[in-house]
Amino acid sequence: MNISAISSNDYQLMTDACKLNREFDSIYAGDLLSVVMRSASQGCTLITVISNLNTIAVAVLLDIPAIIITEDQVVSQAMIDKANTESVAIFKTAFKTHEVIIDFKDRGLI
Amino acid sequence: MMSIAKHFDISPFDFDHAGMMSSDIKRTLKQLKFNFAFIKKISVACYEAEINIVIHSVGGYGDLKLEDNHVYLQFIDRGPGIQDINLAMTPGYTTANEESRLNGFGAGMGLTNIKNSCDEMSIVSDPNGTVLKLKFFITEDSYDEH
């Protein structure tokens, strides 16, 4: 599914709109980046509360096209710049992790 | 005969630049047409090793050597060393500080991830520093196209 399908009033796109051309085929939720690296699948959308440059670095290593930052965590300009450079989309939401998963299910994204 | 060597300095507590070595290596391996599974295990091990130097050491460096039959990674830091390597290898054991945890690390999974990713691993440590050596065998299964 195209990552542009994630967009809604509950998700604020932080990166350039032109980065929405990639596809995702699953989701993975996790805040321990070592566990994310071990378990997340290539091409998934990552749901996490960890909002820093390391999150982008892990996404790049795993070919993750989109990250959803939960609980309204601050997304720094450095993160946005890095994500744009690496063609990773960042969405920010007030939802908690489990609420994102429920929302994705309700909207037929998973 | 293929031979590539690269060197990367790694600074302590510099979370913002952690991962530069693994990103560079990922690009290199991708250009050489290795498949995602092979690239993932090397870049994950590399990233964990970089983070370990960032979190736990006073600084160090990493080296990549790529030859016909294997990829070799070496990480050397300048201390203060690992007090008990067996304990450090135990999943969940950590001496990381709060900042590391806020950055999504320090859960005690690093060395376990590294060990599970590579084909050969050796680690030697004393108060003057730690030397971590990793080897990944290149086989037919390392490529998308045979």
Side-chain angles (χ1 to χ4, degrees):
Chain A
M1 183 170 290
N2 193 280
I3 57 174
S4 61
I6 296 169
S7 296
S8 83
N9 290 337
D10 295 312
Y11 300 84
Q12 180 184 358
L13 177 65
M14 307 300 291
T15 44
D16 295 342
C18 61
K19 307 300 177 191
L20 293 176
N21 58 351
R22 298 177 70 187
E23 303 282 322
F24 75 100
D25 50 20
S26 61
I27 61 169
Y28 184 85
D31 301 324
L32 295 173
L33 296 181
S34 289
V35 179
V36 172
M37 282 194 285
R38 184 187 65 199
S39 300
S41 304
Q42 181 184 23
C44 74
T45 285
L46 173 63
I47 305 165
T48 185
V49 76
I50 300 294
S51 180
N52 59 47
L53 285 170
N54 302 119
T55 317
I56 311 297
V58 168
V60 172
L61 289 186
L62 298 179
D63 286 348
I64 286 173
I67 301 168
I68 296 176
I69 302 293
T70 58
E71 304 194 35
D72 260 342
Q73 293 296 303
V74 172
V75 177
S76 69
Q77 189 59 49
M79 268 183 82
I80 294 168
D81 293 344
K82 176 78 172 168
N84 278 328
T85 302
E86 300 287 355
S87 292
V88 176
I90 303 177
F91 294 90
K92 177 177 157 174
T93 180
F95 285 155
K96 297 178 174 65
T97 294
H98 71 283
E99 292 170 332
V100 173
I101 296 169
I102 292 168
D103 177 58
F104 269 46
K105 183 75 176 165
D106 287 347
R107 291 200 286 145
L109 300 180
I110 53 173
Chain B
M1 178 169 173
M2 179 166 62
S3 181
I4 294 173
K6 291 190 172 193
H7 175 88
F8 303 84
D9 289 321
I10 304 170
S11 303
F13 305 112
D14 185 2
F15 284 96
D16 289 351
H17 293 99
M20 292 187 73
M21 177 177 176
S22 43
S23 295
D24 188 293
I25 288 174
K26 185 191 173 192
R27 276 193 297 274
T28 301
L29 297 176
K30 207 170 177 180
Q31 285 165 3
L32 295 169
K33 307 291 184 198
F34 289 108
N35 63 27
F36 180 78
F38 187 72
I39 294 172
K40 180 185 174 184
K41 65 183 188 175
I42 293 173
S43 49
V44 164
C46 182
Y47 194 54
E48 293 282 14
E50 284 184 83
I51 287 290
N52 277 347
I53 291 180
V54 169
I55 292 176
H56 297 290
S57 84
V58 296
Y61 61 88
D63 289 320
L64 162 77
K65 196 161 75 176
L66 198 153
E67 295 180 340
D68 284 338
N69 300 321
H70 70 267
V71 176
Y72 174 73
L73 295 178
Q74 172 179 265
F75 298 88
I76 298 179
D77 69 51
R78 298 185 293 275
I82 301 170
Q83 278 194 329
D84 185 332
I85 289 176
N86 286 332
L87 199 53
M89 294 291 294
T90 307
Y93 176 80
T94 183
T95 57
N97 61 18
E98 184 64 16
E99 185 189 1
S100 305
R101 282 190 272 274
L102 288 174
N103 276 283
F105 291 98
M109 298 302 296
L111 281 175
T112 305
N113 269 2
I114 292 171
K115 187 180 178 188
N116 291 338
S117 297
C118 67
D119 294 306
E120 288 181 10
M121 168 179 174
S122 77
I123 183 165
V124 179
S125 187
D126 67 29
N128 295 317
T130 299
V131 177
L132 173 68
K133 295 181 178 180
L134 309 174
K135 203 170 188 179
F136 304 83
F137 299 129
I138 297 172
T139 67
E140 278 188 356
D141 293 335
S142 307
Y143 295 94
D144 274 330
E145 297 165 11
H146 299 298

